[in-house]
Amino acid sequence: MPDNSFPITLSDILSAHEEIAPVIHRTPIFTSQGINKMVNSNVFFKCENLQHVGAFKMRGTSYTISTLNDEQLSNGVCTHSSGNHAQAVAKCAQMYGIPAHIVMPRNAPAVKRQAVQGYGATIYDCSAHIEDREKTLAIVQDQTGAHFIHPYNDYRVITGQATAAKELLEEAPNLNIIVAPVGGGGLLSGTGLITSFVSPTTKVYGAEPKMVDDAFRSFHSGKLEKNTTIDTIADGLLTLLGDKTLPIIRSTAQDILTVSEASIILAMRMIWERMKLIVEPSAAVPLAAVITHPQVFKEQTVGIILSGGNVDLSKLPF
Amino acid sequence: MPDNSFPITLSDILSAHEEIAPVIHRTPIFTSQGINKMVNSNVFFKCENLQHVGAFKMRGTSYTISTLNDEQLSNGVCTHSSGNHAQAVAKCAQMYGIPAHIVMPRNAPAVKRQAVQGYGATIYDCSAHIEDREKTLAIVQDQTGAHFIHPYNDYRVITGQATAAKELLEEAPNLNIIVAPVGGGGLLSGTGLITSFVSPTTKVYGAEPKMVDDAFRSFHSGKLEKNTTIDTIADGLLTLLGDKTLPIIRSTAQDILTVSEASIILAMRMIWERMKLIVEPSAAVPLAAVITHPQVFKEQTVGIILSGGNVDLSKLPF
């Protein structure tokens, strides 16, 4: 159960939401009678795939930038990422008119590099190894004085990500359950916090691919577990929980529900075909959890955060 | 220029909109900064791909059913179609609780047959030839007394389709131009009518694949022209204009703009990648026209009707 010792308060999240409202989309919430019938639940989909840069990552990044002072702003921001976080940092920096320095592995898809460059960010190449990414980032920070925006393990980032579920709870009240995908845990910990504050009877679950079930194991052991395989189509969920996200998730979520690769592809196809929305595999993981665990979701009113829609159309699983 | 002799009045469209409001979605209107920059216009996309059954066809069909008397309702409705119109008739009949009889060519994709069956309609097989479709439909009508709902060449259907542009004009006012795809012309003639009534300074264009440019030729000759090829990816636009749609289009539209197959695929990919929306090739034809004819659209505020989102995910052009 949630306690009162969280480093983030309801008032923090409310202020953050006001702060970032001018630079984010208030994304729509859609339903599908067809999907409801198939899963025997009443599902509300919060469409963060329709957010700027196609992902919820804009929320935590824009809030973090809004907390910087003038000197920090003039030095700009930096991160290492090959995915949605890189695009969010680049796009937010452009919106706030400050420099962005992005460390990217050389093997990142060309389309992602182009998107980051299109937002005016400077790209620094490195190898795909995490050690090299961090070393390169340290050099960039040293040379530029740029402020590092962590993709998830930062209370400001978590506070910003909480605003997605805040909007969902405002517009789809009386939810029995909210499900968010879990990679590093920024979205899930923010979702758990705001839900415990404003709708404590709503249960929060994380959804995670079985192939990278570190969050499931960390949730139950209480320690930061690692993965031995990374063989999942949900490329946005490869990251591990952090020391800031794990305790919040253990206090505010009921459990982490794991799902098979086949169920992720099935759920993704259902959302594409039935809702006409492009979601990336990671964003389909919560619906995969609803399909996989009917004992949890049967006849419940469920909120799902569709976390993103960035997918390589030339490499589809169907 | 529009004259006063139209068989459909503003009041007809306003009443139709009230009549069908409970059974259709008021679909959202989305914009994309990225696409605006690429095409140097300010584009508002009316998302009929998010309509019930994934297409605007619900509008004309539901309005037509709403005009039937009790005896007609009890006999149900019928049509011949392998596409979105079949699904719309089946779904509307289900919503109104009346029988639906759908004549479908044997070579229609299994997924479309299943969708129609899923709405509780009865399917009658025929060959793909138009003569056989019409003959089979005549037999079905004779046996059931069902009311035929034409996919486009019917004033009630045109009146219903007009409500999509009505909503677009209400929410995105001051449009310089509206573009709708044109196949049989139901959507385009309805769009032209409502625009001439409520926003006469807004120009209306039809958009059509070069490969099936009967509407372009009919618009300029004043006669119902035929196609000699049907080799387009925009499978929703293979039909020919009718004697009811052509005169309305000639009176209310500026012109028909034709586009290449490559530009349709490019526009479709832009909408998928940038807007995270699944649209079928036919729905991408208006954006293809914006890309192809910059002299018409440069720096204009443009409304586009995204007509549908039903696409076979295993047969994508990219």
Side-chain angles (χ1 to χ4, degrees):
Chain A
M1 291 299 294
D3 62 32
N4 294 321
S5 62
F6 291 129
I8 297 168
T9 66
L10 173 59
S11 149
D12 291 335
I13 298 171
L14 300 182
S15 312
H17 201 204
E18 272 184 43
E19 193 65 51
I20 67 176
V23 295
I24 60 164
H25 288 310
R26 188 171 179 114
T27 53
I29 294 164
F30 290 142
T31 59
S32 163
Q33 295 174 11
I35 291 179
N36 284 348
K37 205 180 285 182
M38 285 189 263
V39 299
N40 195 16
S41 313
N42 189 19
V43 186
F44 291 83
F45 293 91
K46 173 68 172 168
C47 295
E48 288 296 293
N49 60 325
L50 304 179
Q51 188 55 266
H52 288 294
V53 313
F56 72 93
K57 296 277 186 181
M58 284 295 290
R59 295 175 181 268
T61 297
S62 59
Y63 178 58
T64 304
I65 292 178
S66 79
T67 66
L68 302 183
N69 64 33
D70 285 351
E71 192 193 329
Q72 290 173 313
L73 287 171
S74 69
N75 291 333
V77 289
C78 65
T79 201
H80 61 84
S81 164
S82 60
N84 292 340
H85 183 59
Q87 288 193 55
V89 171
K91 170 78 174 176
C92 282
Q94 186 186 47
M95 290 171 113
Y96 283 93
I98 63 172
H101 306 276
I102 313 289
V103 175
M104 282 188 108
R106 269 179 213 95
N107 63 355
V111 61
K112 299 210 170 184
R113 300 175 74 85
Q114 285 159 6
V116 167
Q117 279 170 326
Y119 298 127
T122 308
I123 295 181
Y124 303 81
D125 285 333
C126 68
S127 78
H129 294 290
I130 184 70
E131 295 78 14
D132 191 38
R133 285 165 62 150
E134 289 176 350
K135 204 174 107 192
T136 310
L137 182 72
I139 297 169
V140 169
Q141 273 189 288
D142 196 47
Q143 289 178 350
T144 62
H147 190 86
F148 174 43
I149 301 187
H150 195 282
Y152 54 89
N153 202 41
D154 181 306
Y155 292 130
R156 297 165 302 180
V157 172
I158 295 168
T159 304
Q161 316 304 30
T163 60
K166 176 174 178 285
E167 294 175 6
L168 175 58
L169 287 160
E170 283 166 0
E171 290 177 49
N174 304 318
L175 294 177
N176 302 119
I177 301 174
I178 292 188
V179 197
V182 55
L187 181 64
L188 180 58
S189 56
T191 300
L193 280 175
I194 187 66
T195 305
S196 73
F197 293 142
V198 304
S199 186
T201 59
T202 303
K203 293 176 179 170
V204 172
Y205 285 92
E208 185 179 45
K210 268 199 194 81
M211 293 300 293
V212 289
D213 66 346
D214 67 288
F216 172 81
R217 287 180 285 110
S218 300
F219 186 89
H220 289 282
S221 72
K223 295 180 303 185
L224 291 170
E225 307 285 351
K226 300 208 163 152
N227 290 313
T228 51
T229 62
I230 54 164
D231 193 16
T232 176
I233 190 177
D235 57 345
L237 305 180
L238 294 175
T239 40
L240 304 173
L241 291 185
D243 63 358
K244 297 189 172 59
T245 54
L246 174 58
I248 298 175
I249 290 169
R250 291 192 86 212
S251 297
T252 60
Q254 299 292 314
D255 204 348
I256 310 295
L257 303 171
T258 60
V259 301
S260 69
E261 295 300 299
S263 73
I264 298 171
I265 295 170
L266 174 69
M268 182 171 161
R269 187 160 191 151
M270 277 168 69
I271 295 166
W272 284 46
E273 287 188 339
R274 292 281 168 163
M275 305 190 68
K276 312 303 177 193
L277 292 174
I278 292 183
V279 294
E280 57 192 74
S282 304
V285 170
L287 182 60
V290 173
I291 295 167
T292 308
H293 302 273
Q295 76 285 4
V296 176
F297 296 99
K298 189 184 164 193
E299 292 172 15
Q300 300 295 293
T301 299
V302 181
I304 279 181
I305 303 182
L306 293 179
S307 49
N310 292 319
V311 59
D312 185 344
L313 292 180
S314 50
K315 289 183 187 164
L316 295 179
F318 33 72
Chain B
M1 290 299 296
D3 62 31
N4 294 321
S5 61
F6 291 129
I8 297 169
T9 66
L10 173 58
S11 149
D12 291 333
I13 298 171
L14 301 183
S15 314
H17 201 205
E18 273 184 44
E19 192 65 51
I20 67 176
V23 294
I24 60 164
H25 287 311
R26 186 169 180 116
T27 53
I29 294 164
F30 290 142
T31 60
S32 162
Q33 294 173 12
I35 291 179
N36 284 348
K37 205 180 285 181
M38 285 189 264
V39 300
N40 195 17
S41 312
N42 189 20
V43 186
F44 292 82
F45 293 92
K46 173 68 171 167
C47 296
E48 288 296 294
N49 59 325
L50 303 179
Q51 188 54 264
H52 288 294
V53 312
F56 72 93
K57 296 277 187 183
M58 285 295 291
R59 296 174 181 271
T61 296
S62 59
Y63 177 57
T64 304
I65 292 178
S66 79
T67 66
L68 302 183
N69 64 33
D70 285 350
E71 191 193 331
Q72 289 172 313
L73 287 171
S74 69
N75 290 333
V77 289
C78 65
T79 200
H80 62 85
S81 163
S82 61
N84 292 339
H85 182 60
Q87 288 192 55
V89 171
K91 169 79 175 175
C92 282
Q94 186 187 46
M95 290 171 113
Y96 284 91
I98 62 174
H101 306 276
I102 313 288
V103 175
M104 284 188 107
R106 271 180 211 95
N107 64 355
V111 61
K112 300 210 170 184
R113 299 175 75 86
Q114 284 159 7
V116 167
Q117 276 169 328
Y119 297 126
T122 307
I123 295 181
Y124 302 81
D125 286 333
C126 68
S127 78
H129 293 290
I130 184 70
E131 295 79 14
D132 190 39
R133 285 165 63 150
E134 290 176 348
K135 204 173 109 193
T136 309
L137 183 72
I139 296 169
V140 169
Q141 274 190 286
D142 196 47
Q143 289 177 349
T144 62
H147 191 85
F148 173 43
I149 302 187
H150 195 282
Y152 54 89
N153 202 41
D154 181 307
Y155 291 130
R156 297 165 301 180
V157 172
I158 295 168
T159 303
Q161 317 303 32
T163 60
K166 174 174 179 287
E167 294 176 6
L168 175 58
L169 287 160
E170 282 166 358
E171 289 176 51
N174 303 318
L175 294 177
N176 302 120
I177 301 173
I178 292 188
V179 197
V182 55
L187 180 65
L188 180 58
S189 56
T191 300
L193 280 174
I194 187 65
T195 305
S196 73
F197 292 144
V198 303
S199 185
T201 61
T202 303
K203 294 175 179 170
V204 172
Y205 286 91
E208 185 179 45
K210 268 199 195 79
M211 293 301 293
V212 288
D213 67 345
D214 67 289
F216 172 81
R217 287 180 285 110
S218 300
F219 185 89
H220 290 282
S221 73
K223 295 180 301 187
L224 291 171
E225 306 285 351
K226 299 207 164 154
N227 290 313
T228 51
T229 62
I230 54 162
D231 192 16
T232 177
I233 189 177
D235 57 345
L237 305 181
L238 294 175
T239 41
L240 305 172
L241 291 185
D243 62 357
K244 296 189 173 58
T245 54
L246 175 58
I248 299 175
I249 290 169
R250 290 192 87 213
S251 297
T252 60
Q254 298 292 314
D255 205 348
I256 311 294
L257 303 171
T258 60
V259 302
S260 69
E261 295 300 299
S263 73
I264 298 171
I265 295 170
L266 174 68
M268 182 171 162
R269 186 159 191 152
M270 278 169 68
I271 295 166
W272 284 46
E273 287 188 339
R274 293 280 168 164
M275 305 190 69
K276 313 302 177 192
L277 292 175
I278 291 182
V279 294
E280 58 192 71
S282 304
V285 170
L287 182 60
V290 173
I291 295 167
T292 309
H293 302 273
Q295 76 285 2
V296 176
F297 296 98
K298 189 183 164 193
E299 292 172 15
Q300 300 295 294
T301 299
V302 182
I304 279 180
I305 302 182
L306 293 179
S307 49
N310 292 320
V311 60
D312 184 343
L313 292 180
S314 50
K315 289 183 187 165
L316 296 179
F318 33 72

